[in-house]
Amino acid sequence: MTSPEKKVAIVTGACGGIGRALVKKYAAQGLALAIADQSQSATESLVSEINQQGGEARSFAGDLTDRAYCDNLPMQVFNQFGRIDILVNNAGLIRRGKITDTSDEDFSSSMAVNVEAPFRLVRAAIPIMEKAGGGSIVNTSSCWGINPGPDHLIYCTTKAALAAMTKCLGRDHAHQKIRINAVCPNEVNTPMLRTGFKIRGLDPEDAINKLNQSVPLGRIAEAEEIADVIAFLTSDEASYICGSLVEISGGKAVY
């Protein structure tokens, strides 16, 4: 069990760009962390890094397409830490292309990670948070889920579903003192973005430089800037923000 005064946060996709930035920010703020990601070695490495720096973290590696893993994760975290104050559904999957270029696997895996996993995790976490008198949940949706862009049918569809889910949840569970919001970033400088460019045969640096020119602020977001907004939404300073979709775009419209 963690100390009674220390808040506990579950972060999925914790070893990716935004997830890692958020975990480090939370650790610096003194939160205890449940590190959830698909790779056992990656989660254990991040846990070791946090603990060596004086923080408190434990590994909860697993596959978000595994329904049993999602259903059981909140209670596993509760059993080890004694509480859950924050859940951040940060993990995400991008499949690009028009509908005629996509496969059944593209659709099913994207729905499983981007929609079903958050659904199951929230469903399992809410009773735990309610008994404790409240909590905060943040889902990572996307600007592309609010204003769909071209040639990302499945991604836009799943992120729109997550945005709608967030607004419904925010309304339905506010009376339980559980605040549920979503961040909706545009392009973010993460390993996932760079890998996507490589898959399409593009040079990541050149591609990012071109993206920078399309943003009114002059550059795409850094992972730490998204983490800052998530950390704010889960803090006491955001105590009246509930059911909101917070766009983080640098002023850039998707369409």
Side-chain angles (χ1 to χ4, degrees), residues 203-223:
D203 177 80
E205 291 301 326
D206 289 343
I208 287 175
N209 286 335
K210 289 180 180 177
L211 279 179
N212 288 341
Q213 296 170 25
S214 70
V215 182
L217 276 180
R219 60 176 177 79
I220 63 173
E222 295 297 327

Side-chain angles (χ1 to χ4, degrees), residues 60-77 112 116-117 119-121 123-124:
F60 294 86
D63 184 352
L64 288 176
T65 66
D66 180 349
R67 292 176 173 177
Y69 169 74
C70 296
D71 289 341
N72 295 325
L73 177 60
M75 185 55 69
Q76 289 177 349
V77 173
E116 185 173 355
F119 163 79
R120 290 180 176 277
L121 288 163
R123 184 175 64 180

Side-chain angles (χ1 to χ4, degrees), residues 144-197:
W144 290 62
I146 299 173
N147 299 295
D151 300 331
H152 284 67
L153 170 77
I154 292 176
Y155 181 72
C156 292
T157 299
T158 58
K159 291 301 186 178
L162 188 57
M165 185 192 303
T166 299
K167 291 183 76 68
C168 290
L169 290 168
R171 176 196 60 210
D172 291 348
H173 299 282
H175 71 283
Q176 297 164 307
K177 308 303 180 186
I178 301 172
R179 296 186 303 103
I180 304 174
N181 298 289
V183 291
C184 302
N186 209 320
E187 292 98 348
V188 184
N189 187 9
T190 62
M192 185 168 69
L193 180 71
R194 291 173 176 270
T195 299
F197 287 136

Side-chain angles (χ1 to χ4, degrees), residues 10-60:
I10 303 173
V11 180
T12 69
C15 298
I18 296 171
R20 180 177 291 271
L22 179 62
V23 162
K24 290 185 176 181
K25 187 173 186 67
Y26 276 154
Q29 293 176 339
L31 275 69
L33 291 152
I35 305 298
D37 211 303
Q38 189 170 16
S39 168
Q40 182 75 42
S41 60
T43 57
E44 290 178 353
S45 176
L46 183 54
V47 165
S48 177
E49 179 182 345
I50 293 168
N51 291 340
Q52 286 176 4
Q53 295 174 352
E56 182 180 358
R58 300 180 192 180
S59 171
F60 294 86

Side-chain angles (χ1 to χ4, degrees), residues 8-11 74-75 77-78 82-89 121-138 173 175-180 234:
V8 175
I10 303 173
V11 180
M75 185 55 69
V77 173
F78 177 78
R83 60 189 293 171
I84 299 173
D85 301 276
I86 295 166
L87 167 63
V88 181
N89 286 307
L121 288 163
V122 171
R123 184 175 64 180
I126 281 176
I128 298 171
M129 290 181 171
E130 181 186 17
K131 288 181 180 179
S136 181
I137 298 172
V138 172
H173 299 282
H175 71 283
Q176 297 164 307
K177 308 303 180 186
I178 301 172
R179 296 186 303 103
I180 304 174
T234 57

Side-chain angles (χ1 to χ4, degrees), residues 82-104:
R83 60 189 293 171
I84 299 173
D85 301 276
I86 295 166
L87 167 63
V88 181
N89 286 307
N90 170 69
L93 186 65
I94 295 179
R95 291 289 185 265
R96 298 174 177 84
K98 296 180 175 64
I99 192 168
T100 49
D101 298 325
T102 58
S103 66
D104 287 355

